Amino acid sequence: MWLDDLLQTIPPLTVYLLVGLVVGIESLGIPLPGEIVLVSAALLSSHHELAVSPVWIAVAGSAGAILGDSIGYAVGRRYGMSLFDRLGRRFPAHFGPSHVQVAQRFFHRWGMWAVFFGRFVALLRIFSGPLAGAMRMHYPRFLVANALGGIVWATGTTLLVYSLGVVAEHWLSRFSWVALLVAVIAGIGVTLFVRRRTHRMAEAHAAQEKDGYYAAESDD
């Protein structure tokens, strides 16, 4: 198939660098489709004729997550919560006050676990590093949770998608491009679903804050 021929022209190193770069930039706090890129690259690695290694995909994803979050932590620690005020004015869909409050509440409740599990949640993935720094979480604790979360997320996702891709290639050997398209569409669908749930959580939190404000006003 023409798509298979096209994919074979992509150098494996380019794939690894792209995964690390996109995941790292997303971890800095910039909303990029890091999970979709990781899933797509892991699926490419299941096509053995492409010479893309799932091990190096996992390494690149892990490194991007750890380095990106660490840089994000340093930026958040340097500028504090005022950073999110500026980002909220420029990018209200991603860094609006209600989104920041939801993330803060999660961090206050779970601490290090918020950093670890934040790697698996779209909203917290872009907040994790900068917010941990702004909230003055001790860096050694942050680094441990960040490293474990990044490695588990990148390695687990890569191995799961790689295994599914091997099975799909076996059954769809004449239509291997279908597996790639299905994985990308599924990744986009999951991202949009999580984002919608996140927006609903943020809107519900904002509504609660608003009701609390009016209740306080009426008591006065």
Side-chain angles (χ1 to χ4, degrees):
M1 298 296 292
W2 66 270
L3 184 56
D4 290 328
D5 295 335
L6 176 63
L7 293 175
Q8 291 182 34
T9 65
I10 302 176
L13 181 59
T14 301
V15 178
Y16 308 145
L17 291 176
L18 180 63
V19 170
L21 183 63
V22 174
V23 171
I25 293 176
E26 182 190 40
S27 301
L28 278 171
I30 300 174
L32 291 182
E35 193 163 38
I36 294 176
V37 170
L38 181 65
V39 167
S40 301
L43 188 62
L44 285 177
S45 70
S46 68
H47 295 251
H48 300 295
E49 68 273 11
L50 301 182
V52 177
S53 168
V55 174
W56 285 110
I57 293 295
V59 170
S62 300
I66 296 170
L67 292 175
D69 269 342
S70 294
I71 296 174
Y73 174 93
V75 172
R77 192 171 182 87
R78 169 66 177 81
Y79 294 101
M81 295 306 298
S82 62
L83 171 67
F84 295 99
D85 294 335
R86 292 195 292 269
L87 289 174
R89 289 192 293 270
R90 297 192 61 180
F91 308 103
H94 298 286
F95 298 99
S98 56
H99 295 80
V100 176
Q101 289 167 4
V102 169
Q104 278 185 295
R105 185 168 58 183
F106 194 80
F107 266 70
H108 279 303
R109 182 173 182 179
W110 297 105
M112 285 180 60
W113 290 109
V115 177
F116 178 86
F117 288 110
R119 176 50 52 183
F120 300 87
V121 181
L123 170 66
L124 294 178
R125 189 155 54 241
I126 63 174
F127 273 104
S128 182
L131 188 58
M135 295 178 67
R136 297 294 193 268
M137 178 181 289
H138 291 299
Y139 182 70
R141 297 180 63 198
F142 169 80
L143 181 60
V144 170
N146 171 38
L148 291 176
I151 292 172
V152 171
W153 171 74
T155 303
T157 300
T158 300
L159 291 179
L160 176 62
V161 175
Y162 172 81
S163 300
L164 293 175
V166 170
V167 174
E169 186 177 22
H170 174 74
W171 291 103
L172 302 171
S173 57
R174 294 185 179 181
F175 304 96
S176 58
W177 57 271
V178 174
L180 176 61
L181 294 179
V182 169
V184 172
I185 292 173
I188 294 174
V190 170
T191 301
L192 293 177
F193 173 77
V194 172
R195 183 174 298 176
R196 182 176 300 177
R197 291 293 301 272
T198 300
H199 283 311
R200 288 180 179 176
M201 288 174 58
E203 290 172 357
H205 180 77
Q208 290 177 357
E209 293 289 327
K210 186 176 181 180
D211 291 342
Y213 171 79
Y214 284 126
E217 286 290 315
S218 62
D219 290 339
D220 292 340

